Amino acid sequence: MHRATVLATNAEVALKSYHLHRAFDPALVPSLEAGRVFASRVGADAMVPVLDVGTDDDGTPFVVMPLLEGETFGSILDRSGALPVLEAMSLARRALVSIDVMHAAGMTHGDPSPDNLFVRRDGRVLLLDHEGLGEVGAARAARTTE
């Protein structure tokens, strides 16, 4: 994830670019576009919204999201190691609230791993990884982790 500036508005955003080898996956950008629609159905209280999806000049796919203050659960674990039980349970409960909101919207998340759980400064946990979204009950192709 990188910090970027939208030149037209001077707004700061988060930019996620994918490895160049993913540029040759014809299903990636359509999957990210679908993820943008799914995220809008779920809402910004449970999932980080997608502002834009595309490819840059060399074909590298990217996703633009609002710049939020906080960090992923994975980075918290990397920094802190094992968390005290009550803190871990609190984070898990907050993550489950977002997953429940997603399920109530008829959506599933393909990979709710620590790196795809964003903990905002206010403590709310939002889901990341818009490529893994789908409708409840819909068949999806298997994914591999980069």
Side-chain angles (χ1 to χ4, degrees):
M1 212 58 90
H2 305 281
R3 183 181 294 250
T5 302
V6 177
L7 296 177
T9 63
N10 214 28
E12 287 193 289
V13 294
L15 177 68
K16 177 180 181 179
S17 62
Y18 290 78
H19 297 285
L20 187 55
H21 74 275
R22 297 293 310 276
F24 300 105
D25 177 356
L28 178 60
V29 172
S31 174
L32 295 172
E33 282 288 352
R36 174 172 38 182
V37 173
F38 291 154
S40 70
R41 283 178 43 192
V42 171
D45 288 335
M47 173 152 242
V48 176
V50 175
L51 304 174
D52 196 12
V53 171
T55 56
D56 65 16
D57 293 340
D58 69 0
T60 303
F62 65 83
V63 173
V64 179
M65 295 170 277
L67 185 63
L68 302 175
E69 290 193 34
E71 60 186 321
T72 66
F73 186 51
S75 64
I76 291 170
L77 291 174
D78 288 344
R79 185 184 72 250
S80 304
L83 297 175
V85 172
L86 291 178
E87 185 177 346
M89 288 175 60
S90 175
L91 279 169
R93 184 192 60 75
R94 287 180 270 148
L96 288 171
V97 167
S98 290
I99 290 170
D100 189 49
V101 168
M102 175 174 275
H103 287 179
M107 307 303 302
T108 62
H109 193 285
D111 184 18
S113 63
D115 288 334
N116 291 330
L117 298 172
F118 187 84
V119 183
R120 292 189 336 193
R121 292 274 183 247
D122 66 4
R124 183 173 213 97
V125 176
L126 303 178
L127 298 160
L128 288 169
D129 189 14
H130 303 84
E131 183 184 358
L133 302 180
E135 302 235 8
V136 170
R140 289 185 285 177
R143 292 184 358 178
T144 55
T145 302
E146 295 179 21

